[in-house]
Amino acid sequence: MPQFPVTVPASTSTHSRAQPLWVMLLALLSGFALSQSYRTITAIVAQGLQADFGLSAQSLGAFAGLFGLSFGVAQLLMGITMDRYGLRRTVLASAPLSIAGAALSALAPSHGWLMAGQLLIGIGCSPAFLACTVFIARHFPSERFAFFSGLSLGMGGLGLMLTGTPLAWVVQHWGWRTGFGILAVLSALSWLLIFALVHEPSLPGRAPHAQESWGDSLRGLAELLTLPHTWGILALGMSCYAAFLSLRGLWLGPLLMDRFGFSLVDSGNVALVLSLISLFAPGAFGRMDPGPLRRRAWVANASLLMAAMFAAMALLQQAGATVALMILLGLLWGFSVLQYTDVRASYPPELTGRALSLYTMSMFLGVALMQSATGAVAAWAAGRGIEPYLAVLLAIAGWLALASLAFRMLPASPLLRR
């Protein structure tokens, strides 16, 4: 197995001594972990927001979805800016927006200011995970991409852990505004860490100033949509992570508290267990990667099983069974690393960065759409005397099933059939 370089040549940076690649990756992952905290904090602060601003279920869904919407739309630009200006500059220029957004949310006098804070946070966090995946794709061996991507997704689970019991305890004692304040401080520390440690290695054979125009870069992204296999990838990309985030980041707390009478800390404990599982599940699936010919079947079957588990959670309506299914969903969600690996294998090397950028954009646009849509479904169900969580969970199950079918029916990349 080829060995990856462990340090950046001293000539690549005049600002600091050479840093091992894994140190730079960990610094970038600190930003990704915090983006995970921001996108799941709604489950912990939902009751406080409803009490202070009188938010309906639909407004709460729109609030949670705005992060994903702004995050996803910004992906159109982040992949291009990383190619033109580098990962470090892109992340350092964007991250202060998330710090400002968190501070604005902590001080928000009204729902409108709260939404403005979400918008800033989404844009500020938008390069966080893309920077990690592009860094891995550029500087680590291709045959280890699944492993290191899974490891990165797992490390991002530290951010999910923060919005479990720890932040639930803080919010229960000092309010939701304190929760946003803590995230603002941690985001500032992450920015300093990236500034101090991340200095990108030079890529062999790549002229440092050879850049496409913005128009050429945008046309390159659009050209991916003319490839038939892109649509199956995007359909499932907009669904699996969106389903997991809609549960973990929006509905977990309200569902457990309203349906079963859990306290905020009790629901935070469930979220913490789910987050602990997410530390290891992606890495485990990365190690089990069956290769390009069987990988798509694994992804299609896992997504259909995920849909069945959401349907079971909707219909059983028992506390123990619901918590068990949530934990199983956390384990199963690890297969998402195989989706990233499928994207990398489905395009030639010169399109990898654009393809990963487009796929990441689809993931978070899916999060925004699903969280907003399920908020509307919950409001519709409540108006007709139907339990909102029954309708929400069944809607997610149906969405996943249709996406899984589209992934199966639409063509695979010709590169996978060689």
Side-chain angles (χ1 to χ4, degrees):
M1 180 182 297
Q3 297 295 311
F4 55 83
V6 295
T7 59
V8 180
S11 61
T12 63
S13 174
T14 59
H15 301 288
S16 69
R17 292 177 295 176
Q19 296 290 348
L21 286 178
W22 66 267
V23 170
M24 290 191 285
L25 180 58
L26 286 176
L28 290 170
L29 284 170
S30 69
F32 171 53
L34 283 164
S35 76
Q36 293 280 65
S37 295
Y38 283 119
R39 69 178 58 110
T40 54
I41 193 174
T42 306
I44 298 301
V45 302
Q47 284 195 328
L49 297 182
Q50 288 175 318
D52 285 4
F53 300 125
L55 301 187
S56 65
Q58 187 168 359
S59 297
L60 197 61
F63 167 77
L66 186 57
F67 174 97
L69 180 63
S70 56
F71 189 109
V73 170
Q75 293 301 307
L76 284 171
L77 302 179
M78 293 305 164
I80 298 172
T81 56
M82 285 181 194
D83 283 340
R84 292 177 65 85
Y85 308 114
L87 306 179
R88 183 177 187 270
R89 289 182 179 179
T90 300
V91 173
L92 291 178
S94 303
L97 294 177
S98 63
I99 301 170
L104 179 60
S105 298
L107 301 171
S110 67
H111 178 219
W113 285 104
L114 196 67
M115 295 292 277
Q118 280 290 93
L119 183 67
L120 289 174
I121 292 170
I123 297 172
C125 290
S126 60
F129 186 56
L130 182 62
C132 299
T133 56
V134 172
F135 188 85
I136 293 168
R138 286 178 179 174
H139 304 299
F140 289 79
S142 59
E143 66 271 18
R144 302 290 282 165
F145 182 81
F147 171 74
F148 283 108
S149 295
L151 192 64
S152 298
L153 280 169
M155 292 295 292
L158 293 172
L160 299 179
M161 288 178 63
L162 181 60
T163 53
T165 307
L167 211 61
W169 187 86
V170 168
V171 170
Q172 183 165 288
H173 286 81
W174 292 293
W176 61 268
R177 295 180 187 274
T178 305
F180 277 110
I182 289 173
L183 292 183
V185 172
L186 292 176
S187 295
L189 293 175
S190 171
W191 188 93
L192 290 172
L193 195 65
I194 293 168
F195 177 81
L197 298 179
V198 177
H199 299 281
E200 294 172 74
S202 299
L203 293 174
R206 179 177 174 179
H209 300 294
Q211 295 177 347
E212 292 179 309
S213 69
W214 278 91
D216 288 340
S217 298
L218 289 171
R219 279 191 292 273
L221 276 174
E223 286 170 5
L224 293 179
L225 299 177
T226 67
L227 303 175
H229 66 270
T230 296
W231 291 99
I233 289 171
L234 295 183
L236 203 59
M238 293 183 69
S239 306
C240 297
Y241 187 60
F244 178 76
L245 252 297
S246 293
L247 175 66
R248 172 61 183 83
L250 175 57
W251 297 111
L252 182 147
L255 185 154
L256 293 177
M257 288 185 280
D258 294 345
R259 185 184 266 188
F260 304 117
F262 280 39
S263 70
L264 181 58
V265 171
D266 288 338
S267 62
N269 290 336
V270 176
L272 180 62
V273 172
L274 204 56
S275 304
L276 281 169
I277 291 169
S278 73
L279 289 176
F280 306 105
F285 274 94
R287 285 183 175 274
M288 294 187 294
D289 181 12
L293 295 179
R294 297 173 56 203
R295 186 186 298 127
R296 284 178 62 86
W298 278 40
V299 169
N301 292 335
S303 59
L304 194 59
L305 179 57
M306 196 175 185
M309 293 168 72
F310 270 97
M313 198 186 312
L315 298 173
L316 287 177
Q317 299 197 24
Q318 296 176 350
T322 298
V323 172
L325 283 166
M326 287 180 176
I327 291 171
L328 289 174
L329 276 166
L331 287 168
L332 182 62
W333 173 76
F335 83 88
S336 61
V337 71
L338 299 183
Q339 292 179 268
Y340 262 100
T341 310
D342 180 60
V343 173
R344 193 183 191 281
S346 295
Y347 299 90
E350 63 271 17
L351 297 180
T352 297
R354 291 171 182 167
L356 289 171
S357 177
L358 183 64
Y359 177 74
T360 305
M361 180 192 74
S362 76
M363 286 174 60
F364 291 97
L365 288 179
V367 170
L369 289 172
M370 188 175 285
Q371 290 186 333
S372 298
T374 52
V377 166
W380 172 86
R384 285 157 179 78
I386 303 170
E387 197 221 17
Y389 305 112
L390 173 68
V392 164
L393 294 171
L394 287 177
I396 293 174
W399 184 318
L400 274 171
L402 290 173
S404 180
L405 180 63
F407 185 75
R408 288 175 187 272
M409 299 299 292
L410 290 167
S413 168
L415 295 179
L416 302 180
R417 296 195 288 266
R418 292 178 181 175

